[in-house]
Amino acid sequence: MAAGSSRSIVIIASFGISLVVGLLLVLGLTGGFRSVTAPSAIGGPFQLTSHLGETVTEKSLQGRPSVIFFGFTHCPDVCPTALFEMSEVLRALGPDAKRVNAYFVSVDPERDTVAVMKDYLASFDPNLRGLTGDPAAVTKMISAYRVYAKKVPQDNGEYTMDHTALVYLMDRAGRFVKPIDLKRKPEEVAAELKNYL
Ligand code: NI
């Protein structure tokens, strides 16, 4: 084989490699990997019970956008703050609040029974639904949503929960869109949500 043709093979091969490297770089820099993998990676089948006793499943996410927050009723600050912010957004939505699913999913089903959730939700917007279930059903949903939740024992013999505090936005098809930022004016978040109605 002539030196010339082996050199052109090397040139073609290195051109191919630089194309792949370049594509990987572009994808990495633009977050292309995340947008390609995230929608299928977050979400999936689940079956829980709302604080009003309704059965809620992944099919409940169909036809309207959903805002989903995972937490627990014994949470001292992060959860009540997030639920207060979600309540403010629902208020800002006005009648459109009825066209959005707003879910607070317990990561602490041992303590968060339907009755406990019902008491707790009384302090927040009536459109918010608290979801709980048996521990296996809750674990199934939190794994499908890639939520981190871990029991942390306390000195008094009780425990608290370390948990993901993201608020998930799902579209009308029940597909994950992105985490939604509630640290804004409620009207601003409401305006953004209206784009998904
Ligand atoms: Ni919390």
Side-chain angles (χ1 to χ4, degrees):
M1 191 178 271
S5 68
S6 68
R7 190 159 51 233
S8 55
I9 287 170
V10 170
I11 290 167
I12 289 166
S14 51
F15 180 63
I17 290 166
S18 59
L19 256 187
V20 170
V21 170
L23 183 64
L24 290 177
L25 267 177
V26 167
L27 276 172
L29 290 175
T30 58
F33 284 133
R34 218 174 317 145
S35 58
V36 166
T37 58
S40 54
I42 293 179
F46 68 90
Q47 182 169 336
L48 295 175
T49 306
S50 85
H51 71 286
L52 301 177
E54 307 141 320
T55 298
V56 177
T57 74
E58 74 282 0
K59 292 189 181 69
S60 315
L61 305 186
Q62 300 290 324
R64 38 162 71 187
S66 305
V67 177
I68 309 178
F69 178 71
F70 295 80
F72 65 117
T73 66
H74 286 66
C75 182
D77 42 36
V78 175
C79 295
T81 302
L83 294 176
F84 173 75
E85 289 163 350
M86 276 171 83
S87 296
E88 289 292 282
V89 171
L90 291 165
R91 182 190 49 73
L93 276 168
D96 283 337
K98 301 251 176 276
R99 300 171 62 200
V100 172
N101 292 317
Y103 293 135
F104 168 55
V105 183
S106 175
V107 297
D108 183 16
E110 284 174 41
R111 292 186 294 197
D112 291 340
T113 60
V114 170
V116 167
M117 292 291 265
K118 189 174 181 193
D119 266 5
Y120 188 69
L121 268 295
S123 310
F124 301 100
D125 189 279
N127 291 294
L128 253 172
R129 288 285 185 280
L131 307 188
T132 189
D134 65 63
V138 167
T139 301
K140 185 175 177 182
M141 182 168 187
I142 66 180
S143 343
Y145 281 74
R146 303 290 188 265
V147 167
Y148 167 81
K150 190 172 185 286
K151 247 187 205 181
V152 180
Q154 288 175 308
D155 294 338
N156 58 8
E158 294 289 306
Y159 63 90
T160 185
M161 300 292 296
D162 258 2
H163 67 95
T164 304
L166 293 174
V167 182
Y168 292 83
L169 171 63
M170 316 295 283
D171 67 14
R172 291 161 49 93
R175 285 177 307 221
F176 172 72
V177 179
K178 61 175 186 173
I180 190 160
D181 176 18
L182 296 186
K183 306 283 176 205
R184 294 179 284 166
K185 284 201 186 109
E187 292 73 20
E188 203 177 306
V189 184
E192 187 183 1
L193 281 178
K194 284 187 186 188
N195 296 329
Y196 294 90
L197 287 175

